[in-house]
Amino acid sequence: MTIERRTILKSLAAAPVLLAAPPYLRQVSAQGGTLDIAAVYSLSGTFANVGTLLNNGSKWAVEKYDTLLGRKLNYVLLDDRGDPGEAVRKVQEVMTQRGIRHIVGCTTSAIGLAVQKEVHARGGIYVQEAGADESTGKDCNRSNFRWPVASYSAVNATMRPLIEKFPDAKKWYTITGQYVFGDSLLTNVKDVLKEKGLQHVGNSYHSLSDREYSGYIATALAAQPDVLAICNFGNQTLDVIRQAISYGMKRNTKILAIWSTGLDQFQALGPENCDGVYFGCNFWHGVDTPGGRVVAEVVKAKTGDVPTYLHACGYAVSQVLLEGIKKAGTDDVPAVIKALEGMTYEGPTGTERVRPEDHQVIKDYYLMLGKAKGAMKDKNDFADVVAATKAFLPPEKTGCKMS
């Protein structure tokens, strides 16, 4: 009877403490020790098609791992609706109210740059897909990691092989999205052209909301370029390619989409538009690697088809985070960050490494050439890999001063 009375009194004494605890502590108790992974993606807005596929890849990776450290993984989706401010608000909410410290994903560079600052300020860890150089450059921080290559790498891994292949292509014209990522691509294009002594005969900026590019194409045609370099993202890349081809630009001009999302865009364009066009891409299902085969098995089980870049990229950011937690043997954020720095693992493109100086994943970026319908071996064989390059600035030149 005395023992029962003590137990009751102890429970009553503990109750106010539990009720006064932060909401996330009460939630962990209620969940029985799940490990939450939050993902920030745009499921509406201009790039909703991109965000949806990235989200699928991230979610499927979490489902594949299922448990870590003896705890069930719980995937928490945050729809930022294509708005950096909304993304930051949603991240603030889950970090303060739910205590989530492990976060992946972004659909645009503007969102990624905003979220990486917020996650760092609140003591979390963030693995994301922004392409802008600043992410692992001047805006880098110890909480932030990036799987895709930077704009610098995409430009150098596509332009340099193309320049080598076509040394007489002296005149380049650019069509650029007037947002963070587009400007980052354009800056790097100009740097390569200047170094190689080639002409930048003009640039046309378009806004995030533009869908009609005929005026820009006409201006480009008037400049008579040897190469049209497209510096934008998502459906806007598709629209520029289609309209450039409809104006006959492919007849006398090489078209290079520096940053494509690969298979899903090739499917949308069709072989008649892909044929003869050059594309840059972070992932291609036709490159056979151990890590790529794992992604292919997961995606095939979900869709019955091969993985797109967006599937692989979404998968990769979750994989990097989860492998870091696994290596650390704890979900403690500083320990996971330390475990990730210098970590080598089998990723979607092969053996990949997290560079400790700036937290950039070192991996191949592909220059691809679209092929004619008659040359396709199967329904997904839209392009050949022309070059696979690791084109990264040395850490000391990225502008990253790790904080």
Side-chain angles (χ1 to χ4, degrees):
M1 190 72 173
T2 305
I3 294 174
E4 290 179 358
R5 183 170 180 276
R6 283 177 184 168
T7 303
I8 292 168
L9 289 172
K10 189 175 179 180
S11 299
L12 288 172
V17 176
L18 180 60
L19 291 172
Y24 71 88
L25 291 179
R26 300 202 298 272
Q27 185 191 25
V28 167
S29 175
Q31 289 177 335
T34 59
L35 176 53
D36 289 338
I37 308 295
V40 188
Y41 288 116
S42 307
L43 303 188
S44 52
T46 302
F47 297 120
N49 61 320
V50 174
T52 298
L53 293 175
L54 288 169
N55 172 59
N56 285 342
S58 291
K59 180 174 63 176
W60 295 341
V62 171
E63 291 173 356
K64 170 72 174 174
Y65 279 78
D66 188 45
T67 60
L68 270 181
L69 311 178
R71 295 159 66 187
K72 179 75 174 177
L73 296 175
N74 179 45
Y75 188 79
V76 179
L77 173 61
L78 312 177
D79 178 11
D80 57 45
R81 298 185 288 191
D83 179 2
E86 180 75 4
V88 168
R89 286 191 293 274
K90 293 264 176 95
V91 168
Q92 287 174 341
E93 181 181 323
V94 297
M95 294 189 78
T96 57
Q97 297 184 18
R98 300 183 59 174
I100 297 176
R101 292 291 179 267
H102 305 85
I103 299 169
V104 300
C106 72
T107 307
T108 69
S109 290
I111 290 170
L113 291 169
V115 170
Q116 72 183 62
K117 293 175 184 175
E118 188 65 27
V119 173
H120 181 54
R122 295 180 181 274
I125 184 170
Y126 182 45
V127 187
Q128 45 98 337
E129 300 105 326
D133 290 336
E134 294 90 334
S135 177
T136 54
K138 69 180 183 63
D139 289 343
C140 74
N141 63 56
R142 195 157 295 281
S143 298
N144 181 65
F145 295 80
R146 167 170 54 195
W147 184 78
V149 305
S151 302
Y152 170 91
S153 300
V155 168
N156 282 270
T158 54
M159 283 185 68
R160 291 182 187 277
L162 200 64
I163 291 167
E164 186 175 337
K165 187 176 178 65
F166 301 106
D168 293 331
K170 305 292 188 184
K171 298 191 297 182
W172 290 60
Y173 193 95
T174 49
I175 294 181
T176 305
Q178 197 162 22
Y179 36 78
V180 172
F181 180 60
D183 270 324
S184 191
L185 289 173
L186 179 61
T187 297
N188 285 288
V189 168
K190 288 179 176 179
D191 287 346
V192 174
L193 293 178
K194 183 177 180 182
E195 177 196 328
K196 293 292 186 180
L198 302 175
Q199 293 178 261
H200 186 213
V201 294
N203 174 67
S204 293
Y205 271 122
H206 65 77
S207 74
L208 189 64
S209 60
D210 276 345
R211 288 294 177 270
E212 173 55 49
Y213 304 93
S214 57
Y216 309 134
I217 301 296
T219 303
L221 278 167
Q224 297 183 322
D226 299 308
V227 181
L228 171 67
I230 302 170
C231 303
N232 61 12
F233 181 68
N235 283 340
Q236 294 189 313
T237 305
L238 301 181
D239 292 339
V240 172
I241 291 172
R242 288 193 191 101
Q243 292 177 40
I245 291 172
S246 72
Y247 271 70
M249 201 163 191
K250 194 161 65 170
R251 286 194 292 270
N252 300 308
T253 305
K254 300 286 185 289
I255 298 175
L256 169 63
I258 292 171
W259 188 285
S260 81
T261 57
L263 183 58
D264 63 298
Q265 288 192 330
F266 300 165
Q267 291 168 335
L269 285 169
E272 64 280 359
N273 287 324
C274 289
D275 182 19
V277 175
Y278 288 88
F279 301 89
C281 200
N282 273 285
F283 170 83
W284 182 240
H285 68 276
V287 178
D288 185 32
T289 68
R293 289 195 291 272
V294 173
V295 176
E297 289 169 6
V298 169
V299 173
K300 186 173 179 60
K302 295 291 185 180
T303 69
D305 211 339
V306 300
T308 67
Y309 155 67
L310 295 172
H311 288 140
C313 189
Y315 186 99
V317 294
S318 287
Q319 180 188 10
V320 169
L321 175 61
L322 297 174
E323 286 294 326
I325 295 171
K326 183 178 176 181
K327 182 182 176 186
T330 175
D331 65 344
D332 177 66
V333 167
V336 176
I337 291 172
K338 185 176 180 181
L340 279 172
E341 292 178 331
M343 183 181 78
T344 299
Y345 64 99
E346 288 301 319
T349 67
T351 302
E352 300 172 354
R353 176 177 175 267
V354 181
R355 191 161 68 176
E357 294 90 344
D358 58 358
H359 295 179
Q360 170 67 57
V361 171
I362 304 302
K363 55 176 286 298
D364 281 335
Y365 191 80
Y366 305 110
L367 173 64
M368 308 189 69
L369 175 61
K371 56 174 61 176
K373 186 174 183 179
M376 293 173 63
K377 297 174 185 175
D378 58 56
K379 67 184 181 71
N380 294 316
D381 184 32
F382 283 90
D384 289 323
V385 175
V386 175
T389 309
K390 292 180 176 70
F392 294 90
L393 272 172
E396 64 274 13
K397 293 187 177 180
T398 63
C400 174
K401 293 181 174 24
M402 194 66 75
S403 59

